[in-house]
Amino acid sequence: MRIVVLTGAGISAESGLGTFRDEGGLWAQHRLEDVATPEAFARNPALVHQFYNARRQQAAEAQPNAAHKALARLETALGDSLLLVTQNVDDLHEQAGSQNVLHMHGRLSGALCHACGHRWTAPLEMRPDDTCPSCRETATRPDVVWFGEYPHGLDFIEEALSSADLFASIGTSGQVYPAAGFVMQAGRYGADTVQLNLEPSDTSNAFNETRLGKASEIVPLWVDEILKH
Ligand code: BJW
């Protein structure tokens, strides 16, 4: 069985990392236009670095929960028949043991030079006057995908969706495209589709099945069911 799993901020919520759109979430504390667009970074790089430095610090202290671990178990059983795509910029899937994770919105642990495109491991704290280790320009930014930028791996994901038997979406509100459209793509290609989320999302109607609850509880049960078949 070929499975594509998409995860979002909800899977890391029980590891102590804030989601974006829940009550008290990151977008209640910061305007996304101030911290998650290329224009915001051009206007005020210090503020954007401050936002990501704080999240990098939090992510470094977080531990994977039972949902991350269950998906690592699924990978061990299915190997290449599983594609795990995450919108999350934390490394909790890797910490749980997943080896093949596609971070479509980038990673907090990465740094990117806006001038030459060079990528390297980000220090815990990035600053506007840091220089690129390759071209020496002071144009270094977190290697994350902001609004208006092109997410990573879309062709690869589309290819996987076209041959998937099952598409599962875990802990995402379905408000950000193109990820929110994957369920429609998978359905058009004939895959069964299941959503595992705390509450119904914006795209719930597009799924064949919705399971509501905390990721740490419902994901391990779902993985057990898949592995029994
Ligand atoms: C739990 C739980 C628990 C809580 N257990 N569950 C119309 C059509 C197509 C595109 C657009 C459009 N209009 C605008 C666009 C473009 C735009 C977009 O989608 N805007 C929307 C606001 C409408 N998209 C883009 O700009 C993207 N690029 C792009 O489109 O390029 C051109 C292109 C066009 C066509 C095809 C291909 C390409 C880029 C989007 C980049 C998003 N970047 C961010 C920041 C990244 C770095 C960072 O982390 O800071 O990514 S924004 C933010 O949202 C972050 C997340 O990855 C993303 C998704 O959020 P997520 O994960 O869903 O979190 P929440 O908080 O929204 O939801 C959490 C869910 O968990 C909730 O449902 C809870 O109930 C649940 N939950 N606790 C289980 N314990």
Side-chain angles (χ1 to χ4, degrees):
M1 170 145 73
R2 302 184 79 79
I3 305 181
V4 177
V5 172
L6 171 72
T7 65
I11 196 169
S12 297
E14 292 165 75
S15 295
L17 301 183
T19 63
F20 294 92
R21 296 168 185 83
D22 292 311
E23 211 180 310
L26 289 167
W27 294 162
Q29 301 161 43
H30 307 269
R31 279 170 16 108
L32 72 86
E33 296 84 355
D34 291 339
V35 292
T37 65
E39 293 77 17
F41 187 63
R43 239 180 359 251
N44 193 344
L47 177 72
V48 176
H49 275 308
Q50 197 182 35
F51 175 69
Y52 283 98
N53 287 342
R55 290 181 55 208
R56 193 177 295 110
Q57 180 70 49
Q58 273 183 339
E61 289 160 9
Q63 297 294 321
N65 63 53
H68 298 102
K69 290 176 189 165
L71 292 178
R73 216 158 28 91
L74 191 62
E75 184 189 83
T76 303
L78 296 184
D80 288 347
S81 299
L82 173 72
L83 175 63
L84 176 54
V85 180
T86 188
Q87 299 170 86
N88 298 343
V89 293
D90 64 58
D91 283 340
L92 294 178
H93 285 303
E94 286 86 350
Q95 279 192 50
S98 289
Q99 300 195 1
N100 198 4
V101 187
L102 199 165
H103 283 266
M104 65 178 290
H105 291 164
R107 298 173 77 159
L108 282 170
S109 58
L112 168 68
C113 176
H114 215 42
C116 74
H118 181 67
R119 291 188 148 89
W120 67 101
T121 302
L124 208 49
E125 198 166 317
M126 293 184 74
R127 290 186 309 261
D129 56 359
D130 288 342
T131 52
C132 167
S134 179
C135 73
R136 301 284 156 206
E137 287 287 330
T138 50
T140 68
R141 54 166 283 183
D143 192 4
V144 299
V145 178
W146 288 319
F147 284 105
E149 297 184 319
Y150 212 74
H152 301 300
L154 291 181
D155 290 345
F156 190 74
I157 297 167
E158 162 114 34
E159 176 77 28
L161 290 173
S162 74
S163 59
D165 301 298
L166 176 61
F167 170 74
S169 164
I170 301 172
T172 175
S173 62
Q175 291 191 29
V176 175
Y177 286 83
F182 291 168
V183 58
M184 274 75 91
Q185 281 174 272
R188 272 199 302 273
Y189 284 122
D192 197 6
T193 54
V194 57
Q195 173 180 57
L196 299 101
N197 212 48
L198 196 57
E199 58 194 11
S201 75
D202 279 21
T203 51
S204 285
N205 288 343
F207 288 88
N208 299 139
E209 185 189 348
T210 293
R211 298 184 181 194
L212 299 182
K214 289 183 180 173
S216 67
E217 293 168 4
I218 60 177
V219 175
L221 291 176
W222 174 75
V223 167
D224 288 345
E225 275 177 40
I226 301 269
L227 294 181
K228 262 191 224 136
H229 284 102

